[in-house]
Amino acid sequence: MKDYKLLIFLIFTLSNSIITSQNMFGTVIFGIERINKSVPTEFSSSKDLINLLDTGLQNIEYQLTFNNTESNYNYIEKMDIDDDLGFKLAIAVSGGDGTKYVNSKTKEVLKQMYIDGTPYLIKSNLENLNWVLFNETKMIQKFLCFKAVVVVDVELKIGEVVKQNITVWYAPKIPVNFGPDGYGGLPGLILELNTPKTRTFIKSIKTSNADIIEIIKPTKGKTVSPDEFRRINNKLILNYKKGA
Amino acid sequence: MKKIFFVLAFMLIGTFAFANESQKTTNKKIGIECFLILTDIDSSSNVIVYYANIIIQLTEPDCLDIAWDQSIILSSVTGVDQSTLFHILVRSCWETQGLL
């Protein structure tokens, strides 16, 4: 009889731990800020525009929702300020108003972006991100986070691509491969993302083993590679250049 | 198709030469409207983008210059692609000038 009770206890404990380890759902709210808020002297004539952007950034929030294999990253709509220029610029700086979808099983990354209202799905692969992992740690909220760095291409001036370090802090305690702005592929959830000029930081997090979250893959838009998207966008703009 | 766009573009330039301020504003609005319709059709098409750019340069070059400079500045203080910011700044300039 004693053995029978022990067996039931073991089965219950085991099945419970299997269920909890198999299912992970979560919602993270992120904010974005410029790391150095001062206005460079060479841009003092554009101080108002930069201040407008900073105000927009203060009001902006993004939401990352995820389950074990998929995640979506979207900005949280705020109807009263959606038309504000500072808010529009803040959205552009923070990753745009389209959905960023990541599937850790297929390694697929889809970034929905708009050019003058036309949607595009920029398709890439998580494996294209060549992360360098470090032992450096820091606490973010109650989570011990590890540092990782990846180098990406950025076109600060059209036609001039430069390399930029993206430094992130990920929490192995939350064992999903996702993060803000379509970044992922690390052994834990990314809770902070730093570019040389901006910081995407966690405002709140809610995880659960039971509250099922369905992730919807974006389908609206023509599928293009990151290079194709850059070419299309630049082509539209390049002729505007002074003296062209 | 090329001929239609050339005729449209030259009609717009022609009317600018003799137009008063109010007519110029109307022509700018038409130019912007044409540009938006064309880029909405297919912004990945070389031909369409080429003619959309011609029309917008001929009718409303001011906001393009302003947005170009502003997008370089904001790009350098945020580390974001210039092209990402350019579209928003152009539209904002058009809105400010009552053209949208």
Side-chain angles (χ1 to χ4, degrees):
Chain A
M1 185 67 185
K2 220 175 187 180
D3 286 349
Y4 178 69
K5 275 183 180 171
L6 182 67
L7 187 66
I8 289 177
F9 174 76
L10 282 174
I11 289 171
F12 178 78
T13 314
L14 194 64
S15 62
N16 193 41
S17 73
I18 287 170
I19 288 167
T20 52
S21 68
Q22 277 181 343
N23 295 317
M24 169 71 85
F25 307 100
T27 302
V28 189
I29 306 296
F30 286 98
I32 296 108
E33 63 181 2
R34 284 202 306 127
I35 291 170
N36 182 358
K37 291 207 180 66
S38 65
V39 177
T41 47
E42 69 265 35
F43 301 141
S44 55
S45 60
S46 300
K47 199 176 173 183
D48 289 347
L49 186 68
I50 296 169
N51 287 339
L52 205 61
L53 167 70
D54 284 337
T55 309
L57 286 172
Q58 278 168 23
N59 292 315
I60 204 168
E61 284 181 334
Y62 273 76
Q63 178 174 272
L64 177 76
T65 48
F66 62 85
N67 57 31
N68 285 44
T69 54
E70 296 170 294
S71 76
N72 268 344
Y73 186 69
N74 293 89
Y75 94 97
I76 300 171
E77 287 187 40
K78 294 182 178 175
M79 299 307 278
D80 52 331
I81 52 172
D82 263 2
D83 289 333
D84 179 75
L85 174 60
F87 193 67
K88 284 179 186 169
L89 290 171
I91 291 170
V93 165
S94 314
D97 54 2
T99 299
K100 308 284 170 66
Y101 167 87
V102 177
N103 187 318
S104 61
K105 233 179 198 173
T106 62
K107 309 290 180 197
E108 183 182 32
V109 180
L110 284 176
K111 295 187 177 187
Q112 191 177 47
M113 299 287 276
Y114 291 85
I115 300 177
D116 278 341
T118 308
Y120 288 88
L121 287 172
I122 309 168
K123 191 175 179 177
S124 60
N125 196 303
L126 271 184
E127 286 167 352
N128 294 345
L129 294 169
N130 296 314
W131 292 105
V132 179
L133 307 185
F134 294 85
N135 287 329
E136 206 176 323
T137 61
K138 76 169 177 178
M139 293 299 289
I140 297 178
Q141 295 206 352
K142 58 182 180 183
F143 301 100
L144 179 69
C145 292
F146 287 81
K147 183 179 167 179
V149 175
V150 69
V151 179
V152 297
D153 288 339
V154 178
E155 211 169 7
L156 294 182
K157 261 179 148 181
I158 290 171
E160 295 175 20
V161 177
V162 295
K163 300 283 179 198
Q164 207 172 66
N165 274 1
I166 305 290
T167 304
V168 303
W169 295 88
Y170 65 95
K173 190 92 190 269
I174 310 168
V176 291
N177 319 122
F178 310 117
D181 206 19
Y183 283 94
L186 287 165
L189 182 68
I190 297 169
L191 296 184
E192 186 179 307
L193 185 148
N194 295 285
T195 74
K197 306 279 182 175
T198 60
R199 186 173 82 97
T200 303
F201 57 93
I202 182 174
K203 283 187 157 181
S204 66
I205 180 167
K206 192 182 158 196
T207 57
S208 165
N209 299 119
D211 298 335
I212 296 168
I213 292 175
E214 191 189 358
I215 303 296
I216 297 165
K217 184 176 171 179
T219 52
K220 196 179 162 194
K222 185 178 176 181
T223 305
V224 291
S225 70
D227 283 345
E228 275 175 299
F229 181 75
R230 185 167 279 162
R231 267 200 301 276
I232 292 166
N233 205 0
N234 287 358
K235 194 170 62 189
L236 190 66
I237 297 170
L238 214 54
N239 290 340
Y240 297 162
K241 193 175 177 181
K242 272 181 179 174
Chain B
M1 190 169 173
K2 279 185 179 180
K3 280 180 184 170
I4 296 169
F5 288 116
F6 268 124
V7 168
L8 186 61
F10 282 107
M11 272 173 65
L12 283 165
I13 314 167
T15 50
F16 266 91
F18 307 101
N20 59 33
E21 277 311 307
S22 148
Q23 283 168 329
K24 276 181 184 168
T25 303
T26 308
N27 289 346
K28 282 182 178 186
K29 282 184 180 177
I30 294 168
I32 291 168
E33 186 78 9
C34 288
F35 169 82
L36 295 176
I37 290 168
L38 286 174
T39 51
D40 194 43
I41 291 169
D42 184 1
S43 55
S44 63
S45 156
N46 281 325
V47 177
I48 287 177
V49 165
Y50 178 73
Y51 288 107
N53 278 337
I54 286 180
I55 288 170
I56 205 66
Q57 279 182 82
L58 291 173
T59 53
E60 216 302 291
D62 302 346
C63 282
L64 304 179
D65 287 345
I66 293 168
W68 181 267
D69 293 342
Q70 287 179 334
S71 62
I72 288 175
I73 291 167
L74 288 184
S75 175
S76 69
V77 297
T78 59
V80 171
D81 287 341
Q82 183 195 356
S83 58
T84 308
L85 300 157
F86 181 83
H87 299 285
I88 295 164
L89 292 162
V90 169
R91 280 169 182 259
S92 164
C93 183
W94 285 338
E95 278 171 8
T96 309
Q97 296 193 11
L99 300 172
L100 268 189

